[in-house]
Amino acid sequence: MIFLDNLREQFNNRISFQEKRPGVVQVFAPLFHEDGDMIDIFIDETADGTGRIRVSDHGLTLMRLSYNYELDTPNKLKIFHRILSENRIQEENGRLFIDSEPGSLYPAVLQFAQAVAKVSSMQLFRREVIQSLFDEMLREYVEEKLVSYHPQANVLPIPERDDLEVDYQFDVGTRPILLFGVRDQNGARLASISCLEFRQKRIRFKSVVVHEDFENLNRKDRTRITNASDKQFTSLDEFKANGEEFFEREAA
């Protein structure tokens, strides 16, 4: 295969190949995971008649990741798909791959290896990085599903108290709905304090809290926010499943 000879030359002969079966070659290149293991790369000849080459991992990246880390939450999956999208990598039945013209195989292999290394390192991501997508996903849902209720972001019901900012205000029914997105115990405490302060100021409102994970709060914080708020959704998934119906009832 001429394109393999070209690839070997572009890697300054620091690469080797092993045919695994007809049309499938494993690549051994100086491209490594964080722990020093070599990245699994295969080159497949496509059978679609286009002459393009497929650079793939044959499913080994996600298998390797699953030993220590599960893609078991919407946030983790969103980060995973974002990595693939940013690197123009596709996924099918657990296999990661990128298709390339023979003349562009070298940059395709480097691009593929970079994406695989990022996916494999997801277990090293800080919890804060994973959690940061909660706000983004909540915003996307509000802008897509609740736009008819005229959401206003980052509202200050008490203008002089910029420490009591509310994530969203909606014009619903006789009282505006104030929505708090709560990721952790600090957010839960701020939402509780805000609701109590608004009541003390005789502000008319109905409070709704959307948690990233209600069960992750300690008992005292769960009790405080339950007593302070009018309505809670224990997870973003629950809010996505039932939020529209709740707003429709409030608006009726």
Side-chain angles (χ1 to χ4, degrees), residues 15-184:
I15 190 173
S16 61
F17 309 101
Q18 180 181 346
E19 186 176 28
K20 306 301 290 185
R21 60 179 182 273
V24 178
V25 172
Q26 186 169 7
V27 178
F28 297 93
L31 302 168
F32 303 96
H33 293 285
E34 288 279 345
D35 61 6
D37 288 348
M38 186 173 290
I39 292 175
D40 297 295
I41 301 175
F42 298 85
I43 293 177
D44 304 345
E45 292 186 78
T46 59
D48 57 7
T50 63
R52 291 167 67 83
I53 307 299
R54 174 161 294 184
V55 181
S56 171
D57 68 343
H58 284 205
L60 296 178
T61 301
L62 293 185
M63 180 184 297
R64 172 190 173 91
L65 182 65
S66 69
Y67 296 150
N68 300 300
Y69 188 85
E70 292 291 341
L71 297 176
D72 55 0
T73 69
N75 287 351
K76 291 178 182 179
L77 285 170
K78 187 160 187 175
I79 290 176
F80 169 66
H81 289 298
R82 176 176 290 178
I83 292 172
L84 299 189
S85 175
E86 289 174 349
N87 291 275
R88 296 190 297 112
I89 303 300
Q90 300 182 65
E91 183 265 334
E92 185 177 81
N93 297 324
R95 291 189 173 201
L96 308 185
F97 67 90
I98 184 173
D99 290 338
S100 167
E101 299 293 338
S104 303
L105 188 56
Y106 176 68
V109 168
L110 295 181
Q111 183 175 337
F112 181 77
Q114 182 180 46
V116 166
K118 289 179 180 178
V119 170
S120 300
S121 299
M122 285 185 65
Q123 67 192 58
L124 305 178
F125 284 6
R126 291 168 58 99
R127 177 172 173 80
E128 290 82 356
V129 174
I130 301 294
Q131 288 181 327
S132 67
L133 283 179
F134 170 76
D135 295 332
E136 180 180 338
M137 295 171 70
L138 178 59
R139 175 182 57 79
E140 289 177 354
Y141 178 80
V142 167
E143 292 178 353
E144 180 181 350
K145 300 296 185 180
L146 303 177
V147 66
S148 62
Y149 300 104
H150 312 294
Q152 303 172 55
N154 306 320
V155 173
L156 296 176
I158 305 176
E160 65 273 17
R161 292 291 304 272
D162 59 2
D163 58 321
L164 303 180
E165 186 175 82
V166 178
D167 292 313
Y168 297 98
Q169 177 176 311
F170 302 86
D171 297 329
V172 181
T174 59
R175 294 179 296 170
I177 287 179
L178 302 183
L179 187 148
F180 300 85
V182 171
R183 291 187 302 174
D184 52 29

